[in-house]
């Protein structure tokens, strides 16, 4: 795969052109109960790319409808990538990002896989930072956050199948309510017997829209079985655990291991990585190895597997307490969220919201 980033003269600055802000009272009302992905801040960071000019026209400006030619490549061949990260209000009122360098690097990897222009990681960080600075008033108080959605779409109007020569990058900011409210109950996952998310050699390790479109049918089947999410198995043997729809999956064993499927056809999650890195502090040994559905079923029955949880930016860590499959269902850890899961989540959330020291330098202040 070759990079199609084109000529590059200087780093992008994303200069701000502020628009009339939403009145304070209206913003406060929206921030009181934003839900997820429905409310948007006043501005967007944008940049355009063409094969001749490289990246140009970078700015942070008022959010406006995106005008595309009906032949724009993204509409036909799904040449699109995105990211998801959050800005966290800190105890002193400042705002920090959490390991945004990992999102920036993953965005560049996804671009290479989808033959889109690579946005240099430093430009990705500038775009996100400048947007959060201008829309800092949109960062809610904990436990809510400002969810950030960078994406690149192929905009060239051309119906042939080849990498587009024009693309647009943008970052949206959307205040997001706490994922958890009220009593902790734990998720039920549907182990789908036939639908797969990703195959070896495919795009499973890229964050591209097509992966999610392909996962919607399995998600619908999960809902029909009264499950919260799907647990995808590998596409070849239909035997090995991969990940959930928008989260990586990790297991705690009775002998103190934190086991998770290896990278390859799954997303290299920032939360997954972070949990593996803090595991030792919780008396757990991180292990990346294949886990079969038989091992999961049997381990849940015998108690060799004591806890299972999902990890991702949106929900941080969600306990998984039950699995359903065509043959029946089984629970893990007596159907209750486990102590290791809750302790790992507490540490991560405290790190993100600046409530504990940050020895690894994961918090990046922006305001
Ligand atoms: C398919 C998939 N797996 C895993 C994750 C978790 O990744 P992260 O922790 O970087 O949010 C996500 C969310 O981005 C996802 O969409």
């Amino acid at each position: 795969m070759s990079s199609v980033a084109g000529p590059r003269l200087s780093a992008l600055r994303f200069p701000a052109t502020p628009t009339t802000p939403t009145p304070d009272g209206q913003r406060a009302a929206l921030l009181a109960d934003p839900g997820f992905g429905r409310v948007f801040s006043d501005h967007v960071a944008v940049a355009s790319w063409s094969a001749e000019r490289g990246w140009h026209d970078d700015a942070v400006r008022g959010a406006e409808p995106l005008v595309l030619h009906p032949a724009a490549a993204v509409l036909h061949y799904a040449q699109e990538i995105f990211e998801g990260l959050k800005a966290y209000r800190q105890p002193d009122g400042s705002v920090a990002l959490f390991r945004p360098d990992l999102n920036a690097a993953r965005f560049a990897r996804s671009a290479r896989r989808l033959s889109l222009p690579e946005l240099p990681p430093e430009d990705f960080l500038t775009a996100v930072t400048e947007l959060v600075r201008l829309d800092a008033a949109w960062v809610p108080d904990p436990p809510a956050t400002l969810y950030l959605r960078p994406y690149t779409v192929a905009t060239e109007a051309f119906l042939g199948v080849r990498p587009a020569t024009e693309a647009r990058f943008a970052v949206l900011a959307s205040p997001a309510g706490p994922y958890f409210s009220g009593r902790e109950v734990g998720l039920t996952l549907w182990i789908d017997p036939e639908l797969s998310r990703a195959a070896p050699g495919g795009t499973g390790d890229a964050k591209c829209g097509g992966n999610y479109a392909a996962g919607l049918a399995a998600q619908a089947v999960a809902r029909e079985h009264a499950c919260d999410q799907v647990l995808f198995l590998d596409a070849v043997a239909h035997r090995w655990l991969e990940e959930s729809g928008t989260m990586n999956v990790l297991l705690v064993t009775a002998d103190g291991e934190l086991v998770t499927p290896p990278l390859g056809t799954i997303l290299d999650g920032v939360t997954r990585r972070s949990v593996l890195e803090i595991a030792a502090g919780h008396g757990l040994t991180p292990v990346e190895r294949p886990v079969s559905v038989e091992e999961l079923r049997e381990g849940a029955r015998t108690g060799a597997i004591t806890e299972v949880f999902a990890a991702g930016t949106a929900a941080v860590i969600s306990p998984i307490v039950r699995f359903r499959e065509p043959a029946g269902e089984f629970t893990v850890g007596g159907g209750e969220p486990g102590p290791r899961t809750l302790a790992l989540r507490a540490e991560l959330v405290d790190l993100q919201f600046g409530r504990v020291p940050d020895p690894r330098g994961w918090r990046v202040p922006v305001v």
Side-chain angles (χ1 to χ4, degrees), residues 106 197 207 212 243 245-248 267 269-271 311-313:
R106 190 169 68 189
R197 176 185 171 276
K207 207 161 164 62
Y212 297 80
E243 62 185 324
T246 59
M247 292 186 276
N248 294 114
L267 198 74
V270 176
T271 320
T313 297

Side-chain angles (χ1 to χ4, degrees), residues 82-85 102-103 106 147 149 197 204 206-207 211-212 232 243-249 266-274 311-316:
F82 68 99
E83 265 304 324
L85 68 165
L102 296 183
N103 297 94
R106 190 169 68 189
Y147 181 82
R149 168 53 60 86
R197 176 185 171 276
K207 207 161 164 62
N211 287 346
Y212 297 80
F232 286 107
E243 62 185 324
S244 173
T246 59
M247 292 186 276
N248 294 114
V249 172
I266 63 171
L267 198 74
D268 181 357
V270 176
T271 320
R272 170 188 182 277
R273 248 201 233 197
S274 303
T313 297
V316 193

Side-chain angles (χ1 to χ4, degrees), residues 15 166 283:
E166 291 169 18

Side-chain angles (χ1 to χ4, degrees), residues 111-185:
R112 284 197 291 279
R113 182 64 184 84
L114 272 287
S115 299
L116 278 163
E118 223 176 295
L119 184 71
E122 70 267 25
D123 293 337
F124 176 101
L125 296 173
T126 305
V128 167
T129 302
E130 293 305 315
L131 176 62
V132 174
R133 286 200 177 132
L134 196 58
D135 279 345
W138 285 92
V139 181
D141 288 330
T145 57
L146 186 64
Y147 181 82
L148 302 162
R149 168 53 60 86
Y151 66 89
T152 298
V153 291
T155 51
E156 186 191 0
F158 175 66
L159 294 179
V161 179
R162 59 145 170 77
T165 58
E166 291 169 18
R168 291 280 296 275
F169 164 77
V171 188
L172 309 177
S174 174
Y179 203 84
F180 297 101
S181 52
R183 201 168 71 85
E184 183 71 73
V185 286

